[in-house]
Every structure is written in C-alpha cells, then in structure tokens.
Amino acid sequence: MTNTVEALRRTPLYEEHLRLGARMGPFGGWEMPISYSGILDEHGHCRRSAAIFDISHMGEFEFRGDIAAAGMEAAVTQPLEKMAPGSCRYGFILNREGGIVDDLIILKRSERKLMLVVNAAPAAGDFEVLRERLRGGELEDISAATAKIDLQGPLSRAVVGDVFGREPELRYFRFLETAFSGERVLICRAGYTGELGYEIYCPPAAAPSIWRALAADPRVKPAGLGARDILRLEMGYSLYGSDIDAATSPLEAGLGAFLNFDKEFVGRAALEEEKNRGPRRVKVAFTTPGRRAPRSHYRIEAAGEPVGTVTSGTFSPMLGCGIGMGFVRPGAEGEPLTVTDGAAVRLEVRPVTLPFYSGGSLRT
C-alpha cells in the first residue's frame, strides 16, 4: 500500500469527521482526524470537561480456548490466568531478543475468552506472531467488526451515565458489557490521557449513532490525534513507533512494571540477561526553558558530544514549556543535557521524573 490519501483506510466515523469539519491526515495507514476546533482547544477541553476520540483504527483480536494449553500465556507478558474476568491489563508482545513487537491491552471476557487491543500499523504482523505462537484455541482478527470511541475527561462519567442510561460503577482497568439501541457495547474504564475516561467498543454500524449521542452533549467536544498526542506525552506514556519499537526493550523504556517474571514468556531470557549486564540505553524525560518544543529525532548532547536521541517532544499547555522524552547512553542521564536539531535549535533541558503532568482525574 502506498502512503497516499487514496490508499488510506477509513473508519466508520469518517463521514462524522467531515461533517464536523475535521482536518484529516494519514496515521498508521488510516485517514484520521488531526483536529477539529484546534489542537490546544481540544486538549484544554479534555483536561477541563470531556472529549471524544475516534480510535477505530486500532486492531482487535479475539482468543477463545484454553489459555494455558494453547500457549497464550507465554505469548504475551501479562499473567492471563491470574486476571479476573472483567479486568484488563497493559503489557507487551515481545520478540525473542526482548524487543517490543507491540504494546497492547488485554481484556479478559471469561476464563476462555480474551480480547487483545493492539496498535493500528503493526496489527497484521501482531496477528501473525500470535498465530505462530499458539498451539491450540482459536485466534480471530475482529478489527473490521469493531469500532472504538474513547471518551476522556473529568466529566466523562456523568456523560456516559446520560448516554447509556446509567453511570458505570467501574474501577480503573475494569470493563462491562451493555447495549446501546439494541447493539452490544463493551465499556472499559481506561484511556491514554491521564483523565478519568472510558473506551467504548461497538459494532461499526453502531459507531455513528453513539458518536453523535456523545457529541450532542454540551460537555463534550470531538478531539483529534493532535490533542491526543499532547495529552499522552504530558503523562509520559510511550507511543509505539516513536518511543518504543522492536529494537527497544521494556526495561530500557522504563516499562519493567508491565512484565511478570513469575511466568514464562517469549523474550524473558533476553530481558533477564539485560538485567544482569545493564541497559544499553537509558530513558530520559526533560523540560525546556521556554515554549520551544523539542522534536522527535533531535540529538541529545552532553558536554557537546552526542549521547542520545529525542523520541517524542511537544509544547505542554499544562506546564507552559516544551517537554520531551528520549534515550541516552548509560551514565549520561546524570549530566547536563542539551537538545539540538544540529543547526539553529539548541535547548538546555532540565531532567524531570514522569509524569510531566500529575493533576489529571485518572483515579477519580
């Protein structure tokens, strides 16, 4: 597939985005909304009230069968058998070198049924990797039969209550199944913004009516990928393809909390070796002295020498300055660092501990 607008895939909400005047652009092989009323306006509305995002480009797989006997437990890093039905976990599909094939959310729908939510661009490869690792059960790609709308913001619980007829009594990373106009809907309390929020999975045919019902609420604004990227970076969340990839281990990315070394999984031996020898790179997070933002692929220097690379950067409306993340060689994280584009831009940055922004309503 070429990276032209004509070749890009479209979600079931494409016409809704056009109706709302969205600025569209390519992302992960899809034609997606970048912004509607403006990236900063949408970002602020999500932090103050509630925003909806079309995330239907994400991939979804369904596994049915005996989790342990099929080898599903070893295929991913989450402890699947220990999960309670109705719960979900964040984790990884790893390669044998411990690199991140993809990060994903797994929802346990029953003792013999899982839904796996993966990123859009690597979804086809993820499916093949998982299929090759399984020795039983059934793995089905249900991406084409699944739309996804994220509702995020401090007022999102009340909005969900009004639209779906009741406020879901869901703890963080739990989900329930309900109905909307006769269509089965799964509502998961999760998100990628640092705010209280819900992820709504539904059949594609039901997505426009759910989107319109949410958008009709005066507390809600539609938001595009531009605002979403600022929101996730303010939380220090990694984006696949930018901050993590198949050459990045969860340990060097600071994501070791999402590994379970009490069980066997593909990539475990390589990660144990990495723990013994130490990381090849160290993740750093930093702010800039002003509004100028670091950008992906900028060089990180210490004492004028290259020591690493920026993987994500933006201006943070909540902090009023530039924020960024990247990797440096071990030991450089304790030195004064400069970020540069190799030409006119040189920023003396200040190291910080993630998240950049901690004032969200995530745990409300």
Side-chain angles (χ1 to χ4, degrees), residues 1 3 8-9 11 26-32 55-61 93 100-104 117-129 141 143 225 239-242 244-246:
M1 179 179 290
N3 192 28
L8 296 174
R9 301 173 68 183
T11 76
F27 182 82
W30 293 74
E31 189 175 5
M32 299 296 294
I55 314 295
S56 301
H57 60 307
M58 301 285 279
E60 291 88 12
F61 311 145
I93 305 169
I100 301 172
V101 175
D102 203 359
D103 60 341
L104 77 167
V117 184
V118 301
N119 288 293
D126 295 345
F127 186 79
E128 288 306 310
V129 168
D141 186 345
S143 304
L225 296 180
L239 178 66
Y240 194 84
S242 295
I244 53 176
D245 56 26

Side-chain angles (χ1 to χ4, degrees), residues 58-74:
M58 301 285 279
E60 291 88 12
F61 311 145
E62 186 170 274
F63 171 82
R64 301 178 293 275
D66 187 317
I67 291 171
M72 195 68 212
E73 189 76 69

